[in-house]
Amino acid sequence: METEKSPVPNVNVQELGQQARLANDLEHQLSVWQAIKGNFWALFWSLMVSMCVIMEGYDTILLGNFYAYPEFAKKFGNYIPSDDSYQLTAAWQAGLSNASGVGAFFGAIMNGALVDRFGQKPVLLASLVSLSGFLFIVFFATNKPMLLVGEILCGLPWGVFATTAPAYASEVLPMALRSYLTSWTNMCFIIGQLIAAGVLAGLVGVDNEWSYRVPFALQWVWPAFLIPILFFAPESPWYLVRKGRLDE
């Protein structure tokens, strides 16, 4: 019987498979507390990656509430003589509200191919950097088409965050913690919505363009905070094994 050959030089496939089975059996026996104590840094990095989703949750309720902002409506809406007010048309409200979702749809699709080629960490960092650039478009938007394009482009990295966070947690954490940390991704989404609600409530009374520009600008806080931290995050072990980089 011919011995199975490893695609990685100097690696015994049978020995590697036996070690994997032993590790898998041990993982199934861990309690939640044992898993936390033995995998503290994996837990920490999973929490940090999931925090990227806060930005997506923040944005989901941002534009929908801006339609009621007098300064936003005056800048991007049409004058309604009967009400002596400004308002965006229903078509533009629908388009702007769904723009980031369209971008996130394509971002999530692209993420699979990008991660398979480059890995979780480089794609995540590149997405944070690109988001920082795309935010300039929505912050300095002077008309509705510019705002629409900015929202679509911002949606691309948001789609990456939404798919990377649960995948990263499932790949770096033992089984006892996976259900908690993948659920934490949803919690981050809600945290983002709560932050946005607080920001919007605090700025609704501002009678100039900063009432809607400041909420856009606050989205730069997360890349500035997360990029330096995630630069030191480990790559997904699943990706490294698939690429034969076993030493790493």
Side-chain angles (χ1 to χ4, degrees):
M1 182 176 179
E2 187 176 351
T3 304
E4 184 181 356
K5 295 183 179 180
S6 169
V8 184
N10 303 320
V11 173
N12 187 300
V13 174
Q14 283 77 15
E15 182 181 351
L16 195 63
Q18 184 178 9
Q19 292 176 353
R21 284 190 293 273
L22 290 173
N24 186 59
D25 292 340
L26 177 61
E27 182 178 308
H28 279 73
Q29 297 171 12
L30 289 176
S31 66
V32 172
W33 181 239
Q34 289 173 329
I36 292 174
K37 290 193 296 183
N39 299 272
F40 173 80
W41 285 110
L43 181 65
F44 172 80
W45 291 120
S46 180
L47 290 171
M48 290 297 103
V49 170
S50 295
M51 288 184 69
C52 295
V53 182
I54 291 178
M55 290 180 290
E56 185 175 4
Y58 180 93
D59 182 77
T60 54
I61 67 170
L62 210 57
L63 273 179
N65 285 275
F66 277 161
Y67 303 146
Y69 265 46
E71 292 299 322
F72 184 88
K74 185 177 180 180
K75 177 69 175 180
F76 298 101
N78 301 319
Y79 180 67
I80 309 297
S82 59
D83 296 333
D84 190 27
S85 63
Y86 292 85
Q87 185 175 339
L88 274 77
T89 63
W92 272 109
Q93 288 189 30
L96 291 172
S97 297
N98 291 289
S100 61
V102 172
F105 174 80
F106 289 103
I109 292 176
M110 292 189 303
N111 188 44
L114 292 173
V115 166
D116 183 64
R117 181 169 183 179
F118 301 107
Q120 301 269 22
K121 179 179 174 180
V123 172
L124 188 62
L125 289 173
S127 297
L128 286 166
V129 172
S130 63
L131 177 62
S132 301
F134 295 150
L135 286 173
F136 281 96
I137 301 175
V138 296
F139 181 79
F140 290 107
T142 56
N143 52 55
K144 293 186 288 290
M146 186 175 178
L147 186 60
L148 179 71
V149 171
E151 283 292 314
I152 293 174
L153 291 176
C154 286
L156 293 173
W158 285 327
V160 171
F161 302 149
T163 50
T164 293
Y168 187 86
S170 65
E171 291 181 5
V172 303
L173 290 169
M175 186 171 294
L177 297 178
R178 287 176 192 169
S179 61
Y180 298 101
L181 270 296
T182 51
S183 299
W184 166 249
T185 301
N186 296 328
M187 181 65 76
C188 288
F189 192 87
I190 297 171
I191 291 172
Q193 292 182 325
L194 292 174
I195 293 173
V199 171
L200 290 166
L203 293 171
V204 67
V206 178
D207 58 354
N208 56 53
E209 63 180 13
W210 291 105
S211 64
Y212 63 87
R213 290 194 187 275
V214 169
F216 281 138
L218 288 177
Q219 294 179 91
W220 275 308
V221 171
W222 299 109
F225 167 71
L226 290 171
I227 289 174
I229 294 177
L230 295 179
F231 182 80
F232 298 98
E235 181 55 84
S236 163
W238 283 55
Y239 170 78
L240 295 175
V241 170
R242 284 198 300 268
K243 297 301 181 182
R245 294 155 59 180
L246 299 183
D247 289 341
E248 293 179 57

